[in-house]
Amino acid sequence: MLHYERSTLINAPVSTVWEFHERPDILDLLTPPWQPIEVVRREGGLGVGAESEFRLYIGLIPVRWLARHTAYDHHRLFTDEQVEGPFDHWIHRHEFRDEQGQTRLKDAIAYSLPLGGVTDALLGWAVQANLEQLFQYRHRVTRQECERWR
């Protein structure tokens, strides 16, 4: 199992950062323009049972990615898990913690690649680098938008 984590302090209350994540267009806002990912649908908000479907491209090959929310604690966390997609295992936990009126946003991902440990060892570094770029972008956009709303 591989792990990725990113944490950012945002100068806005938890309610603002949480409400930003509830926006219907959030996935479009948080998808970097260079990522070959299309948002197909998003249903159910952030609650348990909510689903998001994406089409991503591995080279020229389109791959369906379906994620379902499996945990929810209002203004504290939500978790999505891959139901179908490119990973053998994917759990993404989004946490929101108050720090003296500011918000600590933390994304923690546990994942494994197809074919197990061999693929993790050979390609894990590339996935980690991609996740780092993706979440740098997501956290920057979230911080900019939420601090502007403050």
Side-chain angles (χ1 to χ4, degrees):
M1 188 71 60
L2 298 170
H3 299 274
Y4 175 81
E5 190 173 294
R6 181 159 195 85
S7 173
T8 299
L9 187 61
I10 299 170
N11 187 21
V14 168
S15 60
T16 297
V17 180
W18 183 270
E19 288 165 14
F20 175 71
H21 282 80
E22 289 182 319
R23 288 178 56 158
D25 62 346
I26 190 66
L27 295 174
D28 292 318
L29 288 171
L30 295 180
T31 299
W34 66 84
Q35 285 282 338
I37 298 173
E38 298 171 20
V39 178
V40 176
R41 68 180 172 91
R42 178 175 183 243
E43 298 172 355
L46 301 178
V48 171
E51 289 187 346
S52 297
E53 182 181 350
F54 308 92
R55 184 177 303 108
L56 59 117
Y57 293 85
I58 300 174
L60 297 175
I61 302 168
V63 176
R64 180 176 187 243
W65 189 349
L66 178 62
R68 184 172 298 131
H69 289 207
T70 57
Y72 175 90
D73 187 352
H74 188 70
H75 282 192
R76 293 196 54 230
L77 68 90
F78 65 95
T79 301
D80 57 85
E81 297 187 31
Q82 175 187 280
V83 174
E84 180 183 329
F87 295 91
D88 269 357
H89 176 84
W90 173 278
I91 297 176
H92 180 185
R93 184 177 169 101
H94 312 249
E95 298 177 14
F96 305 75
R97 189 175 71 234
D98 178 68
E99 290 189 8
Q100 300 177 343
Q102 297 183 334
T103 302
R104 173 68 58 185
L105 173 63
K106 179 178 164 187
D107 285 283
I109 301 168
Y111 66 97
S112 60
L113 300 170
L115 306 176
V118 172
T119 311
D120 288 351
L122 291 174
L123 298 175
W125 65 271
V127 174
Q128 285 287 109
N130 192 289
L131 289 173
E132 182 62 22
Q133 285 183 332
L134 173 65
F135 283 94
Q136 277 182 4
Y137 179 87
R138 285 183 165 196
H139 280 227
R140 183 175 63 249
V141 168
T142 301
R143 187 179 66 246
Q144 289 170 345
E145 290 295 315
C146 292
E147 289 180 357
R148 189 174 71 193
W149 289 3
R150 188 171 168 79

